[in-house]
Amino acid sequence: MRIKDIVLIGMLSALLIAVKEVLAFLPNIELVSLLIILFSLLLHKKTLLIISIFVLLECFIYGFGLWLINYFYIWFILYFIVRIFKRDQSAFHWAVISGAFGLTFGALCSIPYLFMGWINGSFLTGVQSAIAYWITGIPFDIIHGISNFFITLFLFKPLYKNLNKVITKEIYIEKD
């Protein structure tokens, strides 16, 4: 990995933190999903490092908690979804994926509660715990899904075009 790659990965990780913190006062309205989609399309495997650094920085900012387990897999799920559907470059396609990801975010985050309930009681307790966590967050998941859809619908093309220009032409980064 070249120094330019390391600098770019660090800068894009910091960008994820910055956009998350700037919009933190708005419930479940974020640009992180869109940026991870864009990074996954343009930087391929390097996005895995960006996500890892982002999660570690979040850990330093907010401390350790059960939410951290979610972050260690949820953003990687988005990365793999993008890599599976990478051929389509339409804004609507990515808006649907981003919206669906936002809608299912709470369900994906409920997985650790399944295991915590199971460990502390029974499998049924785990299922009840996970469902309770997910249901209480449904209003936020609806906001998350709708906002992800529209943010991606309107910002995907201009951000993709400009990030692609910067990454491939001006920085000359090696794609994996």
Side-chain angles (χ1 to χ4, degrees), residues 2 5 7 12 25 47 52 63 69 90 92 103 108 114 118 138 143 156-157 161 164-165 170 174-175:
R2 300 176 323 167
D5 296 343
V7 170
L12 295 178
F25 70 97
T47 304
S52 299
I69 296 169
S90 79
F92 184 77
L103 282 172
L108 292 169
L114 172 78
W118 190 3
I138 286 177
I143 294 168
F156 178 82
K157 286 282 188 191
K161 178 183 172 189
N164 190 36
K165 180 180 176 185
E170 294 176 11
E174 292 179 22
K175 291 189 177 184

Side-chain angles (χ1 to χ4, degrees), residues 12-40 50 54 71 75 78 98 101-102 105 143-144 146-156 158-159 163:
L12 295 178
S13 301
L15 177 64
L16 286 179
I17 291 290
V19 298
K20 183 181 180 295
E21 294 305 314
V22 166
L23 295 174
F25 70 97
L26 298 170
N28 287 25
I29 297 174
E30 47 90 7
L31 293 172
V32 174
S33 299
L34 171 60
L35 290 175
I36 288 177
I37 289 170
L38 292 167
F39 299 163
S40 299
I50 295 168
F54 168 68
Y71 268 43
W75 298 114
L78 181 58
S98 187
F101 181 74
F105 199 87
I143 294 168
H144 198 179
I146 293 170
S147 65
N148 270 12
F149 177 83
F150 285 108
I151 286 169
T152 304
L153 186 65
F154 294 116
L155 295 180
F156 178 82
L159 287 178
L163 272 173

Side-chain angles (χ1 to χ4, degrees), residues 3 14 39 41-42 56 62 70 83 96 99 102 105 132 166:
I3 291 175
F39 299 163
L41 289 170
L42 296 169
L56 288 174
Y62 294 106
N70 304 333
R83 297 308 300 153
V96 168
F105 199 87
V166 168

Side-chain angles (χ1 to χ4, degrees), residues 15 28 40 43 48 73 85 98 110-111 131 142 149:
L15 177 64
N28 287 25
S40 299
L43 295 171
L48 297 171
Y73 65 84
F85 296 104
S98 187
S110 71
I111 294 170
I131 290 172
I142 292 169
F149 177 83

